[in-house]
Amino acid sequence: MSETTMRLNTIKPAEGATHYSKRVGRGIGSGLGKTCGRGHKGQKSRAGGFHKVGFEGGQMPLYRRLPKRGFKSLTRRFIAELRLDSFNFIEAEDFKDNADAVINLAFLQNIGLVKNNTLGVKIIASGEFKTKATLTFDETQIKFSEKAKQAVIAAGGKFIQSEVKKFLPKKFNEQK
């Protein structure tokens, strides 16, 4: 076998990547003898003598003294934002097979404009809407800013409302 072949029994860490561990308690000459670099007495010198992060010795900790502020949305990463000019590559020929094609969430996922885990889309008025095709958007699945909606209407676009199926548990759908 040549020397370029890697084998599990010949793998070594890179030069300088590993260090010898500190040998503590091995005499005064080592610099880490007797108290092993921990100093005398106190909580930090004892085995297991560390407290939780943010603990201030019983004083009200900083993270509790400061007010709570803001909100982190759990669904933010599932809402996609698209610019108007991202539709400019769509041509009329793309719809020659299906003239009634509607641009909805599934369509945007199929052409790769949004990820498959996207739950909602918002179109913002950034860039110019110059597509030659007459596009029909499903307003129940795609939201628009006011200016984006006006730009689509000015370019001959249409909006429709589709039936949105609510995915509720069976007991809520039953009539009483």
Side-chain angles (χ1 to χ4, degrees):
M1 292 230 137
S2 66
E3 289 185 28
T4 56
T5 305
M6 183 187 292
R7 290 189 172 173
L8 288 175
N9 64 336
T10 60
I11 296 175
K12 285 186 195 171
E15 193 69 35
T18 58
H19 304 279
Y20 291 111
S21 58
K22 276 190 213 174
R23 295 191 71 223
V24 294
R26 294 293 184 271
I28 197 169
S30 70
L32 294 170
K34 193 185 165 206
T35 55
C36 304
R38 287 174 173 250
H40 293 278
K41 297 186 187 173
Q43 185 177 18
K44 288 184 179 177
S45 71
R46 321 250 181 228
F50 282 92
H51 48 75
K52 68 180 181 180
V53 175
F55 184 69
E56 297 182 19
Q59 171 178 304
M60 186 63 67
L62 183 68
Y63 71 90
R64 289 188 59 199
R65 284 186 302 225
L66 298 176
K68 289 182 183 174
R69 205 182 140 131
F71 168 73
K72 288 192 178 173
S73 173
L74 297 175
T75 58
R76 182 179 175 190
R77 61 191 171 138
F78 300 116
I79 306 297
E81 192 175 271
L82 288 178
R83 296 163 48 107
L84 272 178
D85 57 9
S86 57
F87 295 99
N88 289 343
F89 74 93
I90 297 175
E91 299 297 329
E93 296 87 47
D94 296 337
F95 294 113
K96 65 182 172 199
D97 298 336
N98 188 1
D100 299 329
V102 175
I103 294 177
N104 55 19
L105 188 59
F107 176 83
L108 295 175
Q109 287 170 341
N110 286 341
I111 63 174
L113 274 178
V114 295
K115 292 181 181 175
N116 285 335
N117 65 351
T118 303
L119 300 176
V121 177
K122 173 129 188 197
I123 313 287
I124 58 170
S126 181
E128 290 185 50
F129 190 66
K130 297 189 249 179
T131 183
K132 302 285 187 279
T134 304
L135 301 180
T136 306
F137 290 93
D138 183 359
E139 267 194 307
T140 51
Q141 295 182 4
I142 301 174
K143 304 296 176 204
F144 287 84
S145 68
E146 278 301 313
K147 286 187 178 180
K149 199 168 189 178
Q150 291 167 3
V152 170
I153 292 170
K158 300 177 200 163
F159 297 95
I160 61 163
Q161 298 278 335
S162 69
E163 262 187 50
V164 179
K165 295 179 182 175
K166 293 184 179 176
F167 299 102
L168 294 173
K170 230 179 193 177
K171 64 181 181 181
F172 293 113
N173 292 333
E174 293 171 359
Q175 296 289 329
K176 288 185 178 181

